[in-house]
Amino acid sequence: MKISYDRDACQGHNRCYQLAPELFDVDEEGYAVLLVTGEVPAELEEKAKLCADNCPEFAIEVEA
Amino acid sequence: MTDTVPETKRPPVEDWATDFDHTHPDYAANAPEIWDDLRERCPVAHTERFGGAWLPTKAEDVRAIAEDTDRFSSRGIIINDFRPELDIAPRGYAPPITSDPPFHQEARRLLLPPFSPKKIAEWEPMARACCRELLDEVEAELAAGGDVVDAATAYAQDIPVRVIAAMLGLPPEDGDKFRVFIHRILETPGQHEDLDPGETLVAYLSEKIRERRERGADGEDLISYLLSVEGPDGNRLSDEHVFGTIALLLIAGIDTTWSAIGASLWHLAQHPDDRRRWVEDPDVRLFAIEEFLRFYAPVTMARLAAEDTEVGGCPVKKEDWLLLSFPSYNRDPEAFEQADEFVIDRARNRHSAFGLGIHRCLGSNLARLELTVAIEEWMERFPDFELADPGTVRWSTGQVRGPRCLPVRVLGREVSA
Ligand code: HEM
Ligand code: SF4
């Protein structure tokens, strides 16, 4: 699974960081920072999907 | 709902599709049913009240308005009979909430760091202590006689007030003053000409800001931060700017969070299964909080049309009001499965309680923290409770929706000797 994150769409709702701190950090203004590049580790796939499904701004996409 | 509908001077609403009035007590009591009905048969309601306003109820229309800051201005965000003057745009009366681009970003940016998730997390112990203190008071009241307490006024209402007072570095006992100020501004505007000028929000905050400046603004609190931070022009902020920002934080952060906490307790009082699940399954709480926010989203904003345009096929004229109903968005079956059901462990929950786009609630991390801690602490102390009498619950009218009177009966309390 691949994950991508669109910094321009992110408004800092902070849902992703709450759901999956393994995948997302937040910067000092509260915008998300994607911690993985490319492939999502298998054990985090469910969490990656959760992030994509809960971001109010559709800023996160996962691709199986 | 069987909650009481108080008397009103507002004329009765004939048809919600053509004559809606969100300040009418019928709306306060039945808003979700009204949105559902409109979404099916309308879905963009209109009213001639307030000089002309629209109420889109579908998620896609709400999102389109929130994202289009060119066509829909934040110059006016609370619908009333008068429109703010045209020449105050793009700054507006209370930046950043009343600002449009490009000014908006400048005003907002300064405030992002102290409200970022990691900074806000530092306030958790304080928020928790505050909830426990209030619960001690509730318990003392119960011990003095009876088993009924107004969870809205004896608990939910005080939490955001005390937390923001602490963040600003102001004494907790001044919280009561803020509530009076906010009530005057939001619920009875323009009715206080005879007020002693010394007893106003302006006088109070100006004095506190002056004190802080004289003492040297070196504290950890928000007033010190605002006095020491550099604005976009490289200069310190003026007293007026600092004042305006603090006033906005008080106005935007108190009734909203109070409403979210109150509505969540109202729900739990009526759903024993959800109470049990909350207690037995700590992992569900993260999802439960987002479901409270979705289902009982307390805040509806407004916009003013900047040009003749259309929304959902309806012709909107320049200067028409539009209600931006994030609560109705959250109940749209096209955006959510089982939209009209409260699902405590809902995992896919792309709700918009904190808005969408550039105005995303600046206080969302704080509000979420307060809501979580408030419910955790209440449930720890009083895991079992019910509405004392559904007929006495009263919801606020207008754009911030939550229970203002919420008598609950605490069950199964051990009476200590
Ligand atoms: C559950 C509680 C809360 C809810 C549901 C809520 C909701 C909202 C919403 C929907 C907006 C978007 C406004 C728009 O689009 O025009 C907003 C903006 C804002 N909120 Fe909140 N809010 C809450 C608590 C707070 C708190 C605790 C604070 C601060 C102490 C706060 C400060 C602000 C500010 C400053 C803005 C303006 C942001 C901007 O325009 O860039 N809110 N809020
Ligand atoms: S949930 Fe979306 S908008 Fe929020 S911080 Fe994450 S990516 Fe940004």
Side-chain angles (χ1 to χ4, degrees):
Chain A
M1 178 184 280
K2 285 205 187 335
I3 186 165
S4 61
Y5 155 68
D6 177 356
R7 171 66 179 75
D8 290 337
C10 174
Q11 298 290 352
H13 286 261
N14 189 28
R15 299 287 303 280
C16 53
Y17 174 59
Q18 263 205 325
L19 289 163
E22 306 90 334
L23 293 170
F24 287 93
D25 196 4
V26 276
D27 67 18
E28 70 279 7
E29 291 191 336
Y31 294 100
V33 178
L34 182 58
L35 295 174
V36 298
T37 42
E39 217 49 35
V40 176
E43 72 279 11
L44 292 177
E45 286 186 359
E46 272 313 303
K47 285 205 169 183
K49 263 194 268 171
L50 263 188
C51 293
D53 285 342
N54 283 283
C55 173
E57 309 288 349
F58 293 86
I60 302 167
E61 265 180 59
V62 292
E63 223 182 300
Chain B
M1 284 188 218
T2 53
D3 304 336
T4 42
V5 178
E7 305 250 319
T8 180
K9 294 201 197 88
R10 307 291 305 175
V13 171
E14 296 299 331
D15 178 352
W16 287 92
T18 54
D19 182 36
F20 78 82
D21 185 344
H22 62 292
T23 65
H24 195 284
D26 286 347
Y27 185 85
N30 302 302
E33 291 79 0
I34 293 169
W35 304 321
D36 285 349
D37 168 52
L38 291 173
R39 213 182 290 111
E40 259 175 42
R41 71 187 170 99
C42 195
V44 185
H46 184 257
T47 188
E48 292 294 337
R49 301 181 192 214
F50 319 104
W54 300 88
L55 167 57
T57 52
K58 285 167 73 86
E60 61 178 304
D61 292 334
V62 174
R63 178 179 293 277
I65 296 168
E67 286 178 349
D68 191 338
T69 54
D70 290 335
R71 284 194 300 156
F72 306 104
S73 167
S74 286
R75 196 180 99 236
I77 48 159
I78 305 287
I79 292 193
N80 57 53
D81 292 340
F82 305 97
R83 282 143 176 82
E85 302 81 36
L86 271 166
D87 60 5
I88 63 163
R91 190 174 183 281
Y93 285 117
I97 205 163
T98 56
S99 311
D100 291 325
F103 181 84
H104 169 264
Q105 175 69 0
E106 278 177 21
R108 179 177 170 91
R109 214 162 171 176
L110 283 179
L111 287 168
L112 287 172
F115 284 93
S116 67
K118 289 175 187 176
K119 279 287 167 205
I120 288 299
E122 295 172 11
W123 294 99
E124 181 179 335
M126 187 272 144
R128 214 172 271 288
C130 154
C131 293
R132 289 186 182 161
E133 213 176 282
L134 288 165
L135 288 167
D136 289 345
E137 288 167 25
V138 168
E139 211 151 17
E141 194 186 314
L142 291 173
D147 52 4
V148 173
V149 58
D150 185 340
T153 56
Y155 184 62
Q157 160 174 269
D158 286 295
I159 297 165
V161 173
R162 294 199 188 178
V163 171
I164 196 73
M167 288 183 74
L168 291 166
L170 298 171
E173 58 277 15
D174 287 2
D176 285 338
K177 287 194 188 161
F178 300 166
R179 256 212 317 278
V180 176
F181 298 144
I182 301 309
H183 181 83
R184 274 190 216 139
I185 295 169
L186 286 183
E187 297 189 18
T188 50
Q191 300 170 22
H192 303 276
E193 286 87 2
D194 51 347
L195 214 63
D196 173 357
E199 285 298 305
T200 60
L201 179 64
V202 182
Y204 173 83
L205 282 181
S206 310
E207 174 64 18
K208 296 292 168 188
I209 293 168
R210 199 182 50 77
E211 268 174 34
R212 198 64 50 92
R213 219 187 256 295
E214 280 172 11
R215 210 169 72 207
D218 52 0
E220 287 284 293
D221 61 89
L222 264 178
I223 298 185
S224 299
Y225 169 82
L226 290 169
L227 288 176
S228 57
V229 78
E230 276 173 16
D233 57 1
N235 293 323
R236 295 276 155 85
L237 306 180
S238 65
D239 279 10
E240 289 72 46
H241 190 145
V242 173
F243 166 84
T245 305
I246 297 169
L248 171 60
L249 295 178
L250 294 179
I251 293 170
I254 293 178
D255 281 13
T256 48
T257 312
W258 172 20
S259 300
I261 298 170
S264 305
L265 292 173
W266 181 78
H267 176 92
L268 288 169
Q270 300 170 87
H271 295 90
D273 292 353
D274 287 340
R275 289 202 298 276
R276 205 167 313 121
R277 183 78 188 273
W278 176 280
V279 171
E280 288 169 4
D281 180 4
D283 288 344
V284 87
R285 294 178 192 172
L286 184 70
F287 299 99
I289 291 294
E290 298 307 323
E291 184 68 344
F292 285 133
L293 286 165
R294 178 186 77 91
F295 209 68
Y296 299 107
V299 178
T300 296
M301 296 307 293
R303 297 288 188 263
L304 280 166
E307 56 190 66
D308 290 349
T309 179
E310 58 91 24
V311 169
C314 292
V316 172
K317 285 200 303 294
K318 184 174 176 179
E319 288 295 282
D320 276 353
W321 288 108
L322 297 111
L323 270 183
L324 202 45
S325 179
F326 299 116
S328 176
Y329 176 114
N330 288 349
R331 302 276 191 127
D332 185 346
E334 278 177 25
F336 298 89
E337 291 157 27
Q338 302 166 272
D340 58 351
E341 282 172 47
F342 182 95
V343 181
I344 194 167
D345 56 1
R346 184 183 293 274
R348 297 156 53 106
N349 191 351
R350 207 189 294 277
H351 72 75
S352 66
F354 292 117
L356 295 168
I358 64 168
H359 291 279
R360 185 270 304 168
C361 177
L362 190 100
S364 65
N365 299 303
L366 175 62
R368 212 173 245 129
L369 170 73
E370 291 182 47
L371 176 59
T372 306
V373 168
I375 303 302
E376 277 177 0
E377 292 299 323
W378 175 282
M379 290 300 289
E380 180 76 27
R381 195 79 63 110
F382 304 127
D384 222 3
F385 61 106
E386 62 183 16
L387 293 185
D389 170 7
T392 56
V393 175
R394 186 174 54 79
W395 292 74
S396 56
T397 54
Q399 288 177 223
V400 178
R401 185 167 183 274
R404 292 292 173 263
C405 176
L406 181 60
V408 299
R409 178 173 298 107
V410 173
L411 303 170
R413 210 164 50 92
E414 286 183 32
V415 184
S416 55

